[in-house]
Amino acid sequence: EAQVTQNPRYLITVTGKKLTVTCSQNMNHEYMSWYRQDPGLGLRQIYYSMNVEVTDKGDVPEGYKVSRKEKRNFPLILESPSPNQTSLYFCASSLRPRADTQYFGPGTRLTVL
Amino acid sequence: AQKITQTQPGMFVQEKEAVTLDCTYDTSDPSYGLFWYKQPSSGEMIFLIYQGSYDQQNATEGRYSLNFQKARKSANLVISASQLGDSAMYFCAMRGIYRGSTLGRLYFGRGTQLTVWP
């Protein structure tokens, strides 16, 4: 089944404790991206990747890191999480940057205390 | 800068009636794609419909249609024959498909919460 998976789905952590949210797709997609969703703000792009080893900042990259060492995986790293990073996070992928379909993962609900 | 505006924070519609959710956008790119997504209370993002700026005809997918008016920069979603299961948050989004820094990026509006009542 074609899908984007994220882990963990729910996470409660404390300020400053490094964490990684994994994202994996099984569709050989070139383009992958991370979004955060906050009430009243819609979804905002954190980072995106056009292909392996090609990543760039989105609209809200502060406090986050990413890497794209393999085509299927695009982990989101929070080196020192803070309470303002409490949010719902989505990973998404598409075959190409111009594709008319983007597949979303199920979301990761992160709470930073 | 790319911008998506959804001016209706909440909408209410009776079951079996049609409803229009508004979306306007702003871009200087000559070509772009427009999406609508549904997010039920369970949280997942469900793709509904896509319209390319170059498409001559308005997109339709079952009960969903996209009323695309390029000159007015609007891309309203029309849901016909509303069902109780349509109650959800709806997001309009625009994707850069031209070259440059917006290529591939998806820009979202703030969403409209639709409630369908019996």
Side-chain angles (χ1 to χ4, degrees):
Chain A
E1 180 191 354
Q3 60 182 351
V4 178
T5 57
Q6 292 179 231
N7 282 293
R9 295 288 313 280
Y10 303 90
L11 180 61
I12 300 174
T13 189
V14 296
T15 299
K17 186 176 181 182
K18 181 179 178 180
L19 66 93
T20 299
V21 184
T22 64
C23 172
S24 184
Q25 49 90 6
N26 62 359
M27 297 167 280
N28 202 36
H29 284 175
E30 289 183 357
Y31 190 93
M32 297 185 74
S33 56
W34 277 101
Y35 301 87
R36 62 176 289 173
Q37 182 181 3
D38 303 293
L41 296 179
L43 281 76
R44 294 176 294 168
Q45 194 176 50
I46 304 170
Y47 268 95
Y48 63 97
S49 170
M50 293 282 194
N51 214 322
V52 176
E53 302 291 3
V54 182
T55 63
D56 209 344
K57 296 177 181 178
D59 296 315
V60 287
E62 294 78 20
Y64 305 95
K65 285 175 56 177
V66 293
S67 67
R68 186 96 182 267
K69 293 184 170 56
E70 306 166 279
K71 200 169 189 177
R72 63 183 295 128
N73 296 324
F74 191 44
L76 179 69
I77 304 157
L78 285 72
E79 295 269 0
S80 183
S82 62
N84 65 10
Q85 293 178 296
T86 293
S87 188
L88 177 60
Y89 291 86
F90 287 100
C91 180
S93 74
S94 62
L95 184 60
R96 303 267 190 274
R98 292 186 174 89
D100 61 5
T101 306
Q102 182 151 212
Y103 295 79
F104 279 83
T108 294
R109 193 168 290 281
L110 173 66
T111 301
V112 183
L113 302 174
Chain B
Q2 320 293 79
K3 187 175 181 181
I4 297 287
T5 302
Q6 295 180 252
T7 57
Q8 307 153 315
M11 287 284 286
F12 294 85
V13 65
Q14 190 170 24
E15 200 176 8
K16 298 179 186 168
E17 298 293 311
V19 63
T20 298
L21 306 183
D22 294 342
C23 173
T24 58
Y25 59 91
D26 191 18
T27 181
S28 55
D29 287 352
S31 55
Y32 44 88
L34 295 159
F35 296 77
W36 277 92
Y37 288 90
K38 172 184 177 181
Q39 186 179 45
S41 57
S42 52
E44 72 267 31
M45 295 291 288
I46 301 169
F47 166 75
L48 294 178
I49 196 165
Y50 171 85
Q51 175 89 44
S53 62
Y54 39 82
D55 292 333
Q56 296 296 317
Q57 292 197 330
N58 287 345
T60 60
E61 290 285 350
R63 295 187 297 113
Y64 304 107
S65 59
L66 200 153
N67 184 0
F68 180 47
Q69 298 187 47
K70 193 171 183 178
R72 299 179 65 180
K73 292 190 173 179
S74 75
N76 298 339
L77 177 70
V78 180
I79 304 175
S80 63
S82 298
Q83 301 172 356
L84 296 177
D86 293 335
S87 292
M89 181 71 84
Y90 288 80
F91 290 101
C92 179
M94 177 173 63
R95 184 169 215 181
I97 60 174
Y98 193 56
R99 58 175 182 260
S101 62
T102 62
L103 177 61
R105 298 185 60 185
L106 204 58
Y107 302 86
F108 284 83
R110 298 189 175 198
T112 296
Q113 180 69 45
L114 176 67
T115 302
V116 181
W117 50 283

